[in-house]
Amino acid sequence: MLAMNYRGPHRVRVDHKPTPEILHPQDAIVRVTRSCICGSDLHLYNGSVPDTRVGMTFGHEFTGVVEEVGEGVEKLDLGDHVLVPFNIACGMCVFCQQGLYGNCHESNPQATAVGGIFGYSHTAGGYDGGQAEYVRVPYADVSPTLIPESMDPDDAVLLTDVVPTGYQAAEMGGIQPGDTVVVFGAGPVGIMAARCAWLFGAGRVIVIDCVDYRLEFARDYAPCEAYDFRSIEDPVVFIKHTTDSLGADVCIDAVGAEAAGSALQTVLGRKLLMQGGAATALHWAINSVKKGGIVSIVGVYGPVGTHVPIGNVVNKGITIRANQASVKRLLPRLIEHVQNGVLDPKVLITHRVPLEDVSDAYRIFSAKLDGCIKPVLLPPSART
Amino acid sequence: MEHTAKNPSQIKGWGVDADPKNDPTYPMKLRNDGEHAGYSWERPPQQPISVEVLHSNERPDLTSVFGTSTPPSGASGAIRRIAFRYSESSYGHWLPLMLADRVSVVEGVLDDLEQGHVPNIFAERGWKAEWKHERTSLLRRILVRAVLVSAAVAYFSSRRAH
């Protein structure tokens, strides 16, 4: 089968690899119909996630048709078109039982701090991902969800990660009616977080980034205020000025390790890899939120120590909430929102690229070329 | 390891200020106190171990399922095996893994050559897309690198000549 093949930092290509097989009674093999490149794939692409091995196939946002199931799979039938949440969850461990499907304890032997994730290095379990023609899907009865017939497949693929992560970012903010919410990052997840903040009753939503076309998109789509941090002297002072000097009620970090905006953070976190990423957005979030406010983190960081103003967290009495999105928990509500037209995620997709051109797709997304917000890869069988 | 207080309810004041609403994890976590029983859930069947899988020393064994992509091999594999002697809390774990990742890039190129495939680095880096959408920036970058490499070559050549 054709599959994306990681060859080292900034180098990916498509190769022929063996088609995956059933390795466990609860496995399914899925023929991919859509597969996105996620902003967090860029951490792998840039070589900043430890234990990212040459030869691996990335991709944790995908939909597909069930082609084969293990003997223990009861809920899926051959031919079912499913959306596959990015978390691999057993449904039986204590964490899954508590709804923490992003923190499963039976899917990742290599690390205890993160559950299994498709195509996300050996630090997240060593699974090949969905940027391929076929994928092995463990615990197939737990998370994969039938795509409703009336649902656009482009909406479905964004329900595997972007929508739930953006929604959970807003949910973790504990937003109360009238609150001012600041979202750092105008990537797909940041835009979705800004959109979802309104669902929780926000009174004002502000997005901060430095990519003009994305700010423009956020302004129209969320809809919200959107500012380029390069045009304001200091984003923290700007937020204070615009909130009566008190700070925002809720700040959301939807950037993570690849943040721009601070030379020190960039050198330590992105160039020298001496910390778990450039925590510029988190730094601004902590300093922009009001005393007693809430900082919600969905931006991805590496597993080592990272330079943040933790003293201000203590002194301001900030509550920090963070997690990988628990996609399975959120899906019923989010499917409802999409079907009722409350959320329209497919608009985020700006580029449709044949799987064979994966190297170009990564470059376009990574370098923010051609007005790219979200690229989706289409395997040959999905193009006929 | 033994707990020091076997029955905390005998401690004076135990639980008098307990407030079930004081739970910042809501609604993410449906608290059921299941973890108080430890590693006690019925585990899914074990996936047969067909490839070498390294596991964190913070857990007793492999998880019930695991990925089989790219098992450790070669020099990078040896470094990864060393890394997994250290916990996720230690730089002794993560720094060797980063080193192994870089070593495996070289191994990947050698593997390609061994199989008669010369990697097209330009295509793999997506330069075709950049040529199409941001030619000036690509040319500038190539020029800067060419100047730096030429300067380095000239410097080392002149040192050797002396």
Side-chain angles (χ1 to χ4, degrees), chain A residues 265-277:
Chain A
Q265 290 275 2
T266 300
V267 170
L268 287 176
R270 291 170 58 190
K271 304 297 179 194
L272 300 177
L273 301 178
M274 292 305 292
Q275 55 177 33

Side-chain angles (χ1 to χ4, degrees), chain A residues 202-287:
Chain A
R204 187 179 180 196
V205 179
I206 300 169
V207 169
I208 305 285
D209 200 299
C210 65
V211 182
D212 287 338
Y213 75 85
R214 290 187 170 184
L215 289 167
E216 195 59 45
F217 187 95
R219 211 170 275 134
D220 290 341
Y221 179 82
C224 62
E225 299 167 49
Y227 301 101
D228 182 342
F229 64 74
R230 293 169 309 181
S231 66
I232 47 183
E233 199 175 323
D234 180 334
V236 174
V237 174
F238 175 80
I239 298 296
K240 291 284 172 65
H241 280 171
T242 195
T243 55
D244 259 352
S245 300
L246 297 178
D249 299 285
V250 176
C251 284
I252 294 172
D253 172 4
V255 180
E258 306 290 341
S262 158
L264 178 69
Q265 290 275 2
T266 300
V267 170
L268 287 176
R270 291 170 58 190
K271 304 297 179 194
L272 300 177
L273 301 178
M274 292 305 292
Q275 55 177 33
T280 312
L282 181 54
H283 187 109
W284 287 343
I286 290 169
N287 288 343

Side-chain angles (χ1 to χ4, degrees), chain A residues 6-13 17 23-27 45-57 88 90 92-95 97-100 105-113 122-123 125-128 136 138-139 168 171-172 273-274 303-305 319 321-323 329 357 359-360 363-364 367-370, chain B residues 23-35 38-39 41-48 50 52-56 58-59 61-72 80 84 88 91 93-95 97-98 101-102 104-105 107-109 111-112 117 119-121 123-130 133-134 138 141:
Chain A
Y6 171 72
R7 305 309 299 169
H10 312 291
R11 287 178 50 216
V12 298
R13 68 181 186 226
K17 291 176 88 171
L23 299 176
H24 184 272
Q26 296 169 17
D27 281 355
Y45 179 68
N46 293 337
S48 50
V49 178
D51 217 355
T52 302
R53 301 181 190 173
V54 166
M56 191 176 206
T57 297
I88 300 173
C90 72
M92 295 170 75
C93 72
V94 67
F95 306 110
Q97 289 286 312
Q98 294 179 337
L100 299 172
H105 209 62
E106 291 288 4
S107 56
N108 179 11
Q110 277 92 356
T112 55
H122 278 68
T123 296
Y127 299 90
D128 275 326
R136 170 192 168 220
Y139 301 133
Q168 187 166 313
E171 183 188 49
M172 291 191 298
L273 301 178
M274 292 305 292
V304 294
T319 300
R321 301 180 78 185
N323 206 343
R329 174 178 69 84
D357 294 337
S359 328
D360 291 339
R363 192 59 169 187
I364 287 169
K368 302 181 181 67
L369 305 176
D370 197 31
Chain B
D23 183 354
T25 63
Y26 177 82
M28 288 186 293
K29 180 171 171 177
L30 311 171
R31 182 175 284 281
N32 64 9
D33 295 335
E35 59 268 61
Y39 207 144
W41 58 85
E42 184 193 344
R43 299 184 67 181
Q46 179 64 54
Q47 174 181 333
S50 54
E52 181 183 0
V53 183
L54 302 169
H55 76 82
S56 166
E58 295 181 38
R59 54 173 305 120
D61 53 15
L62 294 183
T63 49
S64 298
V65 302
F66 48 84
T68 54
S69 172
T70 52
R80 291 184 210 283
F84 273 83
E88 295 163 57
Y91 277 100
H93 182 71
W94 300 111
L95 293 182
L97 286 176
M98 294 298 281
D101 291 347
R102 299 300 176 263
S104 79
V105 173
E107 291 173 334
V109 173
D111 277 352
D112 273 343
H117 173 80
N120 182 344
I121 307 274
E124 289 174 356
R125 296 176 77 93
W127 281 20
K128 191 176 78 184
E130 198 158 353
H133 297 294
E134 208 160 282
L138 178 64
R141 216 169 53 244

Side-chain angles (χ1 to χ4, degrees), chain B residues 15-23 31:
Chain B
V16 294
D17 290 332
D19 178 2
K21 287 185 186 160
N22 181 11
D23 183 354
R31 182 175 284 281

